Amino acid sequence: MTLLSQITAAILLLIALLHFLWGVNVTWPAKDEASLARAVVGAKGITQMPNFWACSFVTVALLIGTMIVLTLGGAVQMASLPMWIFQILGAGFALVLLARGIVGFSPFWAGLTPEEPFRTLNRLYYSPLCLALGLSVVILIWHSRSL
């Protein structure tokens, strides 16, 4: 399970890095802020990215999730805390990822995020990635029971 936790952690770290960069006004991979906002937020009429604090919140949440994933997979050992704590934290993290993945396919979400290219990117990449990451965390929780 260490390999699954490392792959999942690498993806989470990459996403955290992107959110950090966006929080400090780097617009990559878009050409400008409005294009980036339409691609990664998708809210109706959006022209600006969320502020530094919103991006930082997501960055920190993803970094915490990364540590949870690495601990559940046995890649990192947190000797001072029992595994059941990471299992509970992991369940919460998995729930958030799975909920985001599922809701991303709903008409409700489509109404909140009608801008292109977000709609297409969400359907093809963002929501499926959230589902895959959430399932990875569930698998890691299941297998961590034997650690």
Side-chain angles (χ1 to χ4, degrees):
M1 286 297 106
T2 301
L3 181 60
L4 178 61
S5 71
Q6 290 171 339
I7 291 169
T8 304
I11 294 167
L12 291 169
L13 283 174
L14 178 61
I15 298 168
L17 175 61
L18 286 171
H19 281 81
F20 171 77
L21 291 172
W22 296 336
V24 295
N25 299 319
V26 174
T27 60
W28 185 87
K31 61 182 177 177
D32 57 40
E33 184 178 11
S35 298
L36 182 64
R38 283 191 301 277
V40 302
V41 179
K44 186 174 183 172
I46 192 160
T47 59
Q48 294 181 316
M49 285 293 290
N51 66 28
F52 171 80
W53 298 109
C55 292
S56 295
F57 176 81
V58 175
T59 300
V60 170
L62 289 166
L63 291 174
I64 291 169
T66 300
M67 282 306 301
I68 292 167
V69 162
L70 289 171
T71 303
L72 289 171
V76 170
Q77 292 186 358
M78 303 291 276
S80 60
L81 295 173
M83 183 57 74
W84 65 265
I85 290 176
F86 291 95
Q87 291 166 335
I88 291 171
L89 293 171
F93 188 51
L95 182 64
V96 169
L97 291 167
L98 292 169
R100 167 56 182 90
I102 292 166
V103 170
F105 289 111
S106 72
F108 169 75
W109 191 255
L112 290 177
T113 58
E115 295 289 337
E116 286 294 346
F118 179 86
R119 288 298 322 132
T120 299
L121 292 170
N122 180 67
R123 187 178 65 255
L124 295 176
Y125 302 109
Y126 305 156
S127 284
L129 181 59
C130 287
L131 290 172
L133 290 169
L135 288 173
S136 293
V137 177
V138 169
I139 291 167
L140 290 166
I141 293 167
W142 182 262
H143 285 280
S144 72
R145 297 177 314 131
S146 63
L147 291 179

